[in-house]
Structure formats: C-alpha cells, structure tokens
Amino acid sequence: MESKNHHIVSALVENKSGVLARIAGLFARRGFNIYSLAVAPTNDPNLSRVTIVVDVEASLLSQVVNQLDKLINVVEIQELKPTDAVERELLLATVECSLSKRTEVIQIVTALGGEIVDVNLSGLTIEMSSSPDKLDALEELLSSYGIIKLQRTGRVALPRLTKESDTYTNQLKLA
Amino acid sequence: MKLTGAQALIKSLEHQGVEVIFGLPGGAILPVYDPILDSSIRHILVRHEQGAGHMAEGYSMATRKPGVAMVTSGPGATNIVTPLLNAYMDSTPLVVITGQVATASIGTDAFQECDITGISMGITKHNWLIKDANEIPQVIAEAFHVATTGRPGPVLVDLPKDISNATMEFYTPEPVSLAGFKQQIEPDASAVSQAAELILRAKKPVLYVGGGVIKSNGSAALKILVEQTSIPVVTTLMARGAFPDSHELNLGMPGMHGTYSAVIALQQSDLIVALGARFDDRVTGKISAFAPHAKIIHADIDPAEIGKVRKPDVVLLGECRRSIEELTRALTEKTAEANKDYKLPLELSQWHNTIKEWKNKYPLSYDRDAKDVLKPQYVIEELSKRQGEDTILAAGVGQHQMWASQYWQFNKPNTWINSGGAGTMGFAVPAAIGAKVGRPDKTVWAIDGDGCFQMTAQEIVTASAEQIPVKIAILNNAYLGMVRQWQHMFYEERYSEVYLSPDLPDYVKWAEAMGAVAFRVDTAEEVIPTIEKANEIDDRPVVIDFRTDVTERVFPMVPAGASNDEILVSAEHADSVIQ
C-alpha cells in the first residue's frame, strides 16, 4: 500500500466550481493515478486546501506541479516531503464480529488509539484518525476478522513548523 | 447605465480596444449579435467556425494584439476547438466567446448544448462560464489580461443565453488582480550575471531563438546582442523573422527539416542560449543525444518550460526581451572590468569558420536544372524575391510549410504566420485572411498545400465578400505530400491513402466560384509572369494553382526519434542510408 513513489502535493486553491476538475485534469492528462485526495475550505472561506497523494516519479511530478501552479485558481502549491510534514488520515471500517470476538477487537482498536462508533449484534464500526502507516497496521489486523466496508479519507497534511531554534536563527539573520 | 448582458459584452470588448471579431452567429449567441449592429467593432462573418479561430490567430500573429472570435454553442463551440489547441500550442493570445444554452438548461442535453468549458479546459489558459450578467465586464477584463499576460495563449468565455438577455448595471471593471496568476518579468540579476560569465567563456555558443522573442517584441534587442557578441543564431519554426535571414550569423531553422549548419551547430555547441524556445522534439531529435556537450542557459517566461525537456545550467525566468537586454548590459559591464580579459565581440573566428564550412558544404539544395517538372522550392524562391520585406506569409502544415520556412527570406518579425506545435492542416487560408484584416497595409501571401487548401478553402468566400485581398499559392503535388514522404522513406514506398489528384477539384474553377482571380501554372517559365500578375491584383483574393513535382521530398531531414547527428542532407544521402 505504502509505496516509495508516493508524493504529497499541497495546494491552496480558490473555492470555486470547476477547480477540482482543472486540477484532476492535469493528472489525468499524463495518466498519473491520484492515490488519495482531500479537499475542504480553509479558515478563509474563499480558499480551499487540497492535499493530493500521487504515485509517480519525482521528476515527472515536478512537471505537473509546475503546470498546476499555472492554473489561475491555484494560489499556492508545494510538494511536501513526508519528513517535513504532519500527516493525518481518518479511517472508518465496519468489521464482522461475533460476540465471542468482540472483546478482542475492541482491545486491538483501543490499543492503537481507535474508537468504536457504531455497533450491532453482528459487527462493529471503528473510527481511527492517525498517520497513514498506523491505519495500514490497523487495517491489516482487522482484515483477519473480516472487513465488510472500509473508507479512508485520504491524507491531509501541513508542513511541519520550523524548530524554535531555526526561527530564532532566522530572526538573528534578519536583524 | 442599464444594459443587457449582450450589450455589456460588446461594450466590454470595445473597452478592451477590440477592432474586429471573427465569428458566425447561431441560436445561443443570437442576443449578442444584435448590439454588434450598433458597435464600432467590425465583424467578419466566416463560413465555418474553425475559420473564425484561425483568422483571429492570424490577426494576432500579424498585429501582436489579441484575436477575438465569437461563435454559438454546441457545434459552433466544438468547431473552434482546433484553433484553441493551435493557439495554445503556439502561445497566441485569443479570446473566444461561445454562446451557451440558458443556465436552467445546462446539463439537460438541451438543443445545441455542449460542455465547452470542460472540453477546452486542457487547451486554454483559463475559461469562464458566466452565471450572472453582472460578472461580464470583470470577466472580460480578466479574459484579456490572462490571454495577453505572461506566456500568451487562448482563453474562452462561455455565455449562456439567459445571461445575455438579463439586464445589469454597467460598470468599469476593477484592475485585474488574480491571486493565482503571477508573472515574473525581470530575470534574476545573479542568474543574468552567471549567464554572462558562461557566454564570455564559451568557444562554440549558439543563440537558440524561439517564438518567445517575437511574442516579447525582442527582435531589436536580439540584434544588439548578436552584434555585441557575434554568436551565431538559429531561428526555430516559430521564430522565423525574429532575426533577419539576410544576416550572415543567421544559420536558419534548426530541427527535423532545419539547415545542416543550424542542426549541427546546436549539436556541437558548448553553450546553447535558449531564448523563448522550448526544446520541442522537432528541434532536439532524440533528446538524450541532443547537444551532448552544451551547457544551457534557458530564458523563458513560463516556469513550467524550465527543465521540462533539458535541464538548464542557468535559468533566466522572465520576459524574453528583458532577459536579452539584461544579458547585453551584463556582458558590457563584465567586459569593462579591468581585472578580466573578457572581450567583445567574443573571439569566435574558429567557430565561425567551422560553421561557414558547413554552410558551404551543405547549403539548402534542390535540382535547379530540373526539366519538365516544376520544383516547389523554385516557386517559393521566386515568390519571395518578388516581395518587400514587409510581406506577410502564412502557411499550412506539411511539405509546403517546411519549404516555405526554408526558402522564403524572412527579415522582420510578425511576417511569418504558421501552425507550429499543433500542426493544423488548413491553417493558411483563414490565418492569411486574419493577418490581412489586421494589416491591410501589407501584402499577405499564403503558401498552401493541396491537401490543406481543401480543408478550409471556403473562407475565400469570406475574403471575397469582405474584400480582403489575400493571395494564395497552392503547391499542388496531388498528394498529402509529407505523409507520402514518410511512406516513401519508412514504409517501403507503400503509398496508403495519400493520393488526392491534381485536378479534382479543379482549383481554378473552384477559386473563381468563390470570387477570387485564379491562375494555373504548369511550367517553370510561367512562374514569374504569373506571380507578377498576382502581385498587381489588390481588390480581391488571388489563387495560383502551381502544379509541382510529385516526387520532391523535404531535406535535410532528421528521421523521427533519431539523433540530430543522423541528419540526412539530400534525397541521394537518404536513399543510400535507408534501404
């Protein structure tokens, strides 16, 4: 699932109709598969942040990023290295789970930091928000019980804050 | 002032200084055609919407102003898709206005409905679907701004019929400010300095001049740079005329059908200064083998072109003309520094001599002594000799285009109008008409192929009706010549679906039926007198049907996918290499 060719593109775009189609079109044109995509308005309702994870070689990606940057509706765009970014993703999974296995499943979910959000006699729906690799681990564990339905949001990401010391150094440089 | 959306559109176009719209009305755009009757803007009624688009391109390429075309929804809109692609590939500023079905009907498969903003998304810089009549003045201002700013290109504005009919309060739009639309005009000073250092140290430099020099009005600046440095120049298909062919340092066109000296000079160069050029595959040949020893300075206004094909050593991101001017300034400054032994012009006599040898050994050539057949190159040479420097030449796509680019003498920018990136057959006739509309003071010739001519010839009716006296030379070899050439060379002379016939249609009768004066030329003796007759006609279109040699092929040629080192200089050379 996690491939070393995964790259994160984070874009600040105008919150207007058709913008997503323009962005997706540039990936589709080159036959690049968008692995995951998350879009929502920011604190400024005129802008949305789009986080795209794409499975492609870095050199090819930078071409697409340059093209994306030329779109009138794209205000700002950057590639995020996983090491320089905080990433989160939300997973919902409905798992088949008889009463006898229930405690076991709940233990796994709680141990990994997930929650049970819905339940009936034959199954459970689990929610977990975490880094993508932890969700991968949870998914693998749950698969042995039988996943009936699963939805992940695709990751959202923001650049990591610079270290206080870096900020301090920068301020010194500026002064 | 209360106006309808339609009136607001026309008024907005007037505010943008639009002088002419090329178009064809229909249902969804009907409301906009009413206020045209009261407008100062000239409307040219075309016979097919593709013609409107190419005319707008020709107009723009001849005048350096944005071209404007207007068509209706559905098939009207799809018929102008080819010109949008063409303008996108060749960075020509176009504003295309399409009618759209009423907003309530969008998405219902209404009569003549078409998702033209969806279709044109990948071949426009931007497009707009107007959903409120109040947006019209602002969107039109934005459309012209986007089309003409930075790397130019086409935009499309889709206008639903109910919006044209709605009323609004007209206003003067705000100065355009688009958050996601940034341009860097001035090149970075330290990059300019690095570039100047590379130039001053180069032994075998070449200026690789592309269309960006013409778009940025950089010809005069380029001439200064060349004379300051004495660096040889190659002018790409999009840049013919950016630097005079009469100048001894101009090596002509590089690429697949470029001159031997231009192709090989690039190939053996130690420094390529790319000015508004994009390392197109038709120029580089096999990219991994392109100019293996050259360092690259890449000047371009479009950041997406930088490193797209070839990784540059120095990047001059900015307007091409400004980059050229800054290079000249930096070179002068560095040469003046006492502690350096830099010299201007550069000491390039060895490089100049090598190039001169190539030029002498492998000039452009064809069989000038050919009897019984009319050589297309001869027709072009004689045409070119009988023109002033200001004559504008348009071409279609194929063999005739390559010969035109090779044998016509271009000495001024904006005198060469052709379809480069898209390779759109049928471009010549409408593009020539558009150019003549924009520059009625200049003579406009089109050199066309018989295949191309048949695609868009009906626009000669437009030219006759609107009294646009363009001149069209058909190099009629009865074939889709370039395809035939490839079948000759790479498909063992198995000619598949390329024969067109020399006299079906009868081009003279056809041209006359469309209101043109027409001549037919079969022999070399008739060429000059007929050109002279055509040059004298200035009140209607002229068409000359030149019956040219079927077997003639375009050389030099770098076969597709081959390294530029494998250039074939002549038919004999090609036939000895390709068995």
Side-chain angles (χ1 to χ4, degrees):
Chain A
M1 227 169 295
E2 189 69 12
S3 142
K4 56 174 178 272
N5 266 340
H6 272 185
H7 294 270
I8 310 166
V9 177
S10 172
L12 200 60
V13 306
E14 287 181 279
N15 186 3
K16 284 185 179 168
S17 66
V19 175
L20 191 57
R22 290 178 201 277
I23 292 172
L26 282 174
F27 285 95
R29 179 176 174 191
R30 285 168 175 74
F32 295 166
N33 184 28
I34 293 176
Y35 180 78
S36 79
L37 175 72
V39 194
T42 63
N43 51 325
D44 178 348
N46 295 318
L47 297 174
S48 291
R49 187 169 290 281
V50 185
T51 307
I52 306 162
V53 178
V54 59
D55 194 357
V56 65
E57 276 176 48
S59 60
L60 296 175
L61 180 68
S62 67
Q63 272 183 39
V64 183
V65 171
N66 285 340
Q67 296 289 348
L68 287 167
D69 201 13
K70 281 167 67 175
L71 293 177
I72 310 297
N73 303 124
V74 173
V75 177
E76 201 181 286
I77 187 161
Q78 64 183 132
E79 282 181 63
L80 287 179
K81 281 189 208 152
T83 46
D84 298 339
V86 184
E87 304 175 71
R88 283 295 177 273
E89 186 173 0
L90 177 69
L91 171 150
L92 287 177
T94 300
V95 178
E96 204 176 321
C97 186
S98 60
L99 289 172
S100 60
K101 301 264 182 170
R102 186 154 293 183
T103 323
E104 210 175 305
V105 173
I106 292 172
Q107 273 176 352
I108 291 173
V109 171
T110 349
L112 286 171
E115 275 182 66
I116 310 299
V117 290
D118 196 13
V119 62
N120 73 3
L121 286 176
S122 57
L124 295 169
T125 296
I126 293 146
E127 173 204 314
M128 184 164 139
S129 156
S130 187
S131 60
D133 54 333
K134 277 198 184 157
L135 297 184
D136 292 346
L138 175 71
E139 207 179 310
E140 203 184 322
L141 287 167
L142 294 179
S143 63
S144 59
Y145 297 93
I147 295 171
I148 297 165
K149 280 183 184 139
L150 182 130
Q151 164 80 68
R152 292 171 68 152
T153 55
R155 65 186 89 171
V156 294
L158 286 178
R160 275 191 191 281
L161 299 175
T162 47
K163 298 253 165 26
E164 290 300 329
S165 55
D166 295 350
T167 318
Y168 182 65
T169 325
N170 286 339
Q171 280 167 353
L172 282 181
K173 273 185 202 155
L174 286 174
Chain B
M1 183 180 17
K2 287 268 182 221
L3 294 181
T4 65
Q7 290 166 333
L9 174 73
I10 295 301
K11 202 169 180 57
S12 299
L13 295 176
E14 287 169 356
H15 278 195
Q16 291 294 330
V18 173
E19 294 161 344
V20 58
I21 298 172
F22 302 93
L24 195 147
I29 197 72
L30 252 175
V32 184
Y33 270 80
D34 188 70
I36 281 182
L37 289 172
D38 306 318
S39 172
S40 59
I41 300 176
R42 179 181 184 190
H43 182 276
I44 307 273
L45 175 62
V46 300
R47 266 48 178 181
H48 185 289
E49 290 90 346
Q50 185 188 357
H54 293 325
M55 284 180 205
E57 289 180 86
Y59 172 89
S60 175
M61 293 171 90
T63 61
R64 306 185 60 249
K65 295 178 199 165
V68 180
M70 186 155 73
V71 298
T72 196
S73 64
T78 54
N79 278 344
I80 209 159
V81 166
T82 301
L84 284 174
L85 169 71
N86 196 78
Y88 189 70
M89 294 291 263
D90 289 348
S91 308
T92 305
L94 282 197
V95 177
V96 170
I97 292 157
T98 49
Q100 181 55 279
V101 301
T103 42
S105 303
I106 292 176
T108 66
D109 302 330
F111 177 65
Q112 291 193 330
E113 184 188 353
C114 159
D115 173 17
I116 192 61
T117 49
I119 287 175
S120 64
M121 202 172 271
I123 49 172
T124 52
K125 282 183 82 178
H126 195 66
N127 57 29
W128 291 260
L129 169 62
I130 297 189
K131 287 187 175 159
D132 179 344
N134 291 305
E135 295 174 11
I136 291 172
Q138 192 63 37
V139 166
I140 293 301
E142 288 177 8
F144 278 81
H145 179 74
V146 170
T148 56
T149 307
R151 180 177 183 170
V155 299
L156 180 141
V157 178
D158 202 19
L159 186 66
K161 192 171 186 179
D162 57 323
I163 307 294
S164 309
N165 285 326
T167 51
M168 53 84 73
E169 183 67 32
F170 191 79
Y171 59 92
T172 307
E174 298 285 316
V176 176
S177 155
L178 297 163
F181 190 62
K182 315 148 276 241
Q183 313 296 335
Q184 186 175 328
I185 304 298
E186 295 297 320
D188 178 71
S190 69
V192 170
S193 168
Q194 284 173 43
E197 293 278 343
L198 286 183
I199 289 171
L200 287 163
R201 285 197 295 261
K203 298 278 177 281
K204 296 191 274 183
V206 179
L207 297 175
Y208 161 34
V209 172
V213 172
I214 290 178
K215 311 279 174 201
S216 67
N217 203 15
S219 288
L222 174 67
K223 199 160 183 224
I224 293 170
L225 179 67
V226 176
E227 278 164 5
Q228 177 191 34
T229 56
S230 83
I231 304 178
V233 176
V234 301
T235 47
T236 68
L237 183 65
M238 295 311 297
R240 304 289 291 123
F243 187 71
D245 281 341
S246 55
H247 198 290
E248 61 170 357
L249 286 173
N250 193 344
L251 313 184
M253 180 171 74
M256 182 174 269
H257 294 295
T259 65
Y260 182 87
S261 56
V263 172
I264 300 301
L266 276 178
Q267 204 57 8
Q268 300 200 1
S269 163
D270 65 353
L271 178 68
I272 292 175
V273 186
L275 302 170
R278 60 183 176 89
F279 296 88
D280 180 75
D281 56 79
R282 285 300 188 262
V283 167
T284 63
K286 186 179 173 185
I287 183 65
S288 59
F290 175 69
H293 309 296
K295 285 198 163 31
I296 307 286
I297 297 168
H298 196 172
D300 207 290
I301 197 159
D302 180 358
E305 287 301 339
I306 306 296
K308 183 181 84 176
V309 176
R310 173 77 177 250
K311 198 172 168 293
D313 297 275
V314 178
V315 177
L316 301 177
L317 186 63
E319 194 183 70
C320 209
R321 178 173 56 81
R322 288 295 302 127
S323 290
I324 296 169
E325 288 167 349
E326 283 305 296
L327 278 176
T328 295
R329 192 190 49 72
L331 288 165
T332 310
E333 275 178 20
K334 282 184 191 295
T335 323
E337 285 171 23
N339 56 343
K340 301 263 174 64
D341 56 354
Y342 290 144
K343 234 175 59 189
L344 284 175
L346 305 172
E347 173 40 48
L348 298 175
S349 54
Q350 212 175 338
W351 182 226
H352 287 158
N353 286 339
T354 310
I355 288 172
K356 205 170 286 167
E357 277 168 33
W358 291 333
K359 267 187 167 178
N360 292 337
K361 194 166 176 199
Y362 300 113
L364 286 172
S365 67
Y366 65 93
D367 182 4
R368 286 169 201 274
D369 307 320
K371 304 267 184 305
D372 312 325
V373 285
L374 184 55
K375 290 291 180 185
Q377 300 97 325
Y378 172 73
V379 174
I380 294 169
E381 280 186 332
E382 294 305 326
L383 254 180
S384 180
K385 277 184 208 161
R386 282 161 185 76
Q387 307 303 326
E389 283 194 336
D390 283 327
T391 294
I392 294 172
L393 179 67
V397 166
Q399 286 183 315
H400 72 275
Q401 172 195 27
M402 291 298 110
W403 285 318
S405 177
Q406 290 176 337
Y407 287 91
W408 190 276
Q409 290 294 305
F410 295 99
N411 287 312
K412 287 194 171 176
N414 303 104
T415 60
W416 169 234
I417 291 171
N418 92 125
S419 164
T424 305
M425 284 181 68
F427 182 72
V429 169
I433 293 170
K436 183 69 182 173
V437 169
R439 297 308 304 257
D441 53 321
K442 293 189 174 187
T443 304
V444 178
W445 271 94
I447 290 177
D448 214 1
D450 46 323
C452 279
F453 184 80
Q454 290 192 50
M455 289 191 175
T456 51
Q458 78 271 24
E459 298 306 341
I460 291 171
V461 180
T462 306
S464 298
E466 297 274 350
Q467 292 172 317
I468 306 164
V470 291
K471 306 181 199 301
I472 299 153
I474 309 170
L475 301 182
N476 175 7
N477 64 358
Y479 273 91
L480 294 169
M482 190 59 95
V483 184
R484 185 185 190 279
Q485 174 167 344
W486 284 49
Q487 288 177 346
H488 180 156
M489 294 172 70
F490 310 116
Y491 292 87
E492 297 163 344
E493 296 182 57
R494 287 161 54 84
Y495 298 120
S496 175
E497 301 299 324
V498 285
Y499 180 65
L500 295 175
S501 155
D503 47 17
L504 180 66
D506 181 324
Y507 292 95
V508 169
K509 279 189 185 161
W510 189 14
E512 285 172 350
M514 292 188 286
V517 180
F519 305 102
R520 180 176 143 189
V521 171
D522 293 277
T523 63
E525 296 74 57
E526 298 167 89
V527 169
I528 295 169
T530 313
I531 290 171
E532 281 169 352
K533 266 193 263 176
N535 277 337
E536 277 162 28
I537 295 167
D538 202 32
D539 60 343
R540 68 196 71 189
V542 189
V543 175
I544 310 177
D545 171 14
F546 289 100
R547 300 286 175 90
T548 59
D549 182 6
V550 173
T551 62
E552 192 64 22
R553 285 175 280 162
V554 184
F555 288 102
M557 180 175 190
V558 179
S563 154
N564 280 349
D565 291 322
E566 295 166 57
I567 186 169
L568 305 168
V569 293
S570 64
E572 298 69 40
H573 182 203
D575 294 340
S576 71
V577 172
I578 302 167
Q579 294 299 332

